[in-house]
Structures are given as structure tokens and as C-alpha cells.
Amino acid sequence: MKNNLLKKLSSGLLITALTATVFVGCGNSSADAGEEVKDASVEAGADAADSNAGFRTLDEIKESGTINIGVFSDKSPFGYVDENGEYAGYDVYFAERIGEDLGVEINYVSTEAANRIEYLQTGKVDIILANFTVTEERAQEVDFALPYMNVALGVVSPSDAVIESLDDIGEDDQVIVISGTTAETYLTKNYPYIKLQKYDAYAEAKTAFENGNGVAWANDNTEVIAFAIENEGYTVGIPELGDQDTIAPAVTKGNETLLNWLNEELDTLGDENFFHADYEATLLDTYGADYEDTLVVEQ
């Protein structure tokens, strides 16, 4: 019995020792993997405070000399690439001032509506300036700074078959939306019976609408108004749908240093009436003077 007891104790100690060795080995592997992820982030220009942070602090951005800002590349007049291959538009005008005041170069990252949150969470960008409407759901995943623009949803349709109410949409009709936008969320939640035709990119949705793939296109009212002004034969039959919202810069959740700097920057720019100047430089030709005070937000 004594020998059997000793054997059992020895076996138990051996198992404990082996288990401890396995856990130690796993811990080292995780650390090594974390270092590899961190190194990859540094090479991509998006190094983080540590391997799990997912963002760069304000000091790290300044030290790197470059800030990564996500903007649209195909959504005139807010964010687009002009005939010279340069980024331009309302959001880009703001981005240029951010780079100037931070004293860093800007690396523009072309983004689509559906990947704005993903790009922040993966550290691909430091800031999103891409017509990002503030919602409670999004605020659970990213941190929004103070707003710089007002927005609501709108619906544009062909002038020979104007949709003036969502009740005008038949059960077999389809409405075009862009995935990841507030238009998709609003219609899915409040009008689940309306059939949606979803596209990932603004340019794809625009082409589909022009080709008659849907009876209407629901998007931010600023965008559908601009589309109707720039393209003959279309009318914004529903200029405001749902609640009035705001557009704001967004940073990765928990990046307090960059968020605080942005809020201070927005306060300073508000004292200058910066966004009125931005509007007049980038949006006036599209919307005219009548929309300026309605759309612009100065802190």
C-alpha cells in the first residue's frame, strides 16, 4: 500500500510539472506572437503602444511624423480623388488642417462605408473622416469626437417616378443602399418589408442606381442632394428621413490622447469659423449658400 501511495504521489507530481511546463511554453509562444503582430504594425505605419492596444497614441503619431486618416476616394464633394490624382473635398480640407496643426504628414487611406470601424479597430487608420454619422451603436465600437456637420437621411429617385414617401415603394420594388450606412440600418429596423439592394462602395451604388436597378437610392441627404444637383433627371423626393444626426471624426475605442486633442482642435477651429470656410471652399458650388448654416457645425 505504501509503495502504491508513493507511486501515485510521484505520478501526480510528474503530471503537475508537465502541465506547468506546457503553460509556460504557451505563454512564451503568445508573447512571441504578440511581438510579431506589433512588428507587422510598425512596418505598416500603424504601430501601437503595445501588441494589444490596436491604436497609436498622440505622442506615437507625432514621433512617427505621419498620421493615417481614412477618407472616401469616390464621394464628391466630401472625399474624392481629383483629376490630378490628389485627395480633395470637405473631409480632406479638414484632414489637411489636422496634419498641419499636428506637424505631421498625412497618409490618406481610401475607405468604404462598410470598413470604417474595421480600419480603426485593426489600426489601419488613426482617424476616420468619411461622412461618419454618430449613432449609439457605432459609439459602442469607436470613440467619436465633437461633430462638424449636420446630416439626415434622404431618398433620391428618377424625376419621372419620384418617391415622395416610403409608402410609394411597392412590395416588388428595391431601394439601393450602401452596406454599413445609417440608411441601411434605419430601413432594416423601421421598414423591414422594403427590399434593399446593398452595395459595398459608393461608386457601385451610384452605377446601379443610374442603371435603374432600384426605384430609389437612400443615403445621407447631403449625398443624395449633391447627386441630384450634379445629375440631370433625378429628384430628392424625401429630403429628410428619420432623425437629424451629426457627422464627427472617429478614433479607435480607448484612444483618449488622440480623442482629447481632436476635441481641443475642434474647439479652436470653431473659434475661427473654420468649417464655414471649408464649406465655401469645397461645398458651395454644389449646395449653394442656402445650405451653409444648416449643414455646418462650429463648436
Side-chain angles (χ1 to χ4, degrees):
M1 296 240 346
K2 186 174 181 180
N3 287 337
N4 288 337
L5 180 59
L6 287 172
K7 287 179 179 179
K8 289 179 179 179
L9 288 171
S10 298
S11 298
L13 290 171
L14 179 59
I15 291 170
T16 301
L18 288 171
T19 303
T21 302
V22 169
F23 279 124
V24 170
C26 287
N28 289 338
S29 297
S30 297
D32 292 342
E35 288 302 319
E36 290 175 5
V37 171
K38 183 177 179 181
D39 290 344
S41 296
V42 171
E43 291 174 3
D47 48 339
D50 56 61
S51 59
N52 297 316
F55 59 77
R56 298 192 300 163
T57 65
L58 180 65
D59 286 342
E60 287 172 329
I61 291 169
K62 288 181 177 180
E63 288 170 7
S64 74
T66 302
I67 187 167
N68 303 312
I69 299 181
V71 296
F72 288 126
S73 59
D74 61 354
K75 196 170 289 187
S76 176
F78 300 97
Y80 63 98
V81 176
D82 65 18
E83 63 276 7
N84 299 316
E86 301 291 333
Y87 279 91
Y90 186 77
D91 292 336
V92 175
Y93 189 101
F94 178 26
E96 289 291 322
R97 180 61 182 268
I98 288 174
E100 178 184 333
D101 290 349
L102 273 177
V104 297
E105 296 294 323
I106 300 173
N107 174 41
Y108 287 111
V109 179
S110 176
T111 185
E112 296 173 359
N115 58 27
R116 290 174 294 194
I117 291 175
E118 174 195 343
Y119 278 16
L120 284 171
Q121 292 179 334
T122 58
K124 188 168 185 177
V125 299
D126 302 302
I127 300 173
I128 283 287
L129 294 180
N131 279 122
F132 211 6
T133 304
V134 179
T135 68
E136 291 183 7
E137 293 81 6
R138 288 170 175 170
Q140 299 299 315
E141 300 187 80
V142 302
D143 283 337
F144 285 104
L146 296 169
Y148 61 96
M149 194 172 193
N150 290 314
V151 68
L153 295 179
V155 179
V156 61
S157 48
S159 298
D160 58 0
V162 179
I163 299 296
E164 296 183 340
S165 167
L166 294 181
D167 294 334
D168 296 338
I169 298 171
E171 60 180 23
D172 294 326
D173 294 333
Q174 295 192 56
V175 174
I176 292 172
V177 296
I178 300 173
S179 299
T181 61
T182 49
E184 178 195 13
T185 304
Y186 178 83
L187 292 175
T188 300
K189 180 180 178 180
N190 296 287
Y191 298 88
Y193 57 86
I194 293 180
K195 295 179 181 178
L196 302 181
Q197 192 171 134
K198 303 176 184 179
Y199 295 89
D200 288 334
Y202 180 89
E204 293 174 350
K206 177 177 179 290
T207 299
F209 181 53
E210 291 172 337
N211 289 339
N213 292 10
V215 297
W217 181 11
N219 208 342
D220 288 351
N221 62 352
T222 51
E223 293 165 14
V224 297
I225 290 169
F227 175 85
I229 291 173
E230 295 170 355
N231 297 273
E232 187 177 352
Y234 296 94
T235 299
V236 179
I238 307 177
E240 288 193 16
L241 181 66
D243 297 329
Q244 182 82 11
D245 293 312
T246 57
I247 289 172
V251 302
T252 308
K253 196 75 176 173
N255 194 351
E256 293 184 3
T257 57
L258 183 55
L259 181 66
N260 291 339
W261 184 89
L262 270 174
N263 283 333
E264 291 174 2
E265 176 78 346
L266 284 156
D267 277 335
T268 299
L269 297 180
D271 292 338
E272 300 177 11
N273 278 333
F274 172 85
F275 290 102
H276 279 81
D278 188 351
Y279 181 98
E280 290 166 12
T282 62
L283 303 184
L284 187 63
D285 288 345
T286 299
Y287 297 108
D290 291 343
Y291 281 101
E292 184 168 349
D293 289 332
T294 301
L295 297 178
V296 171
V297 175
E298 302 279 11
Q299 296 306 318

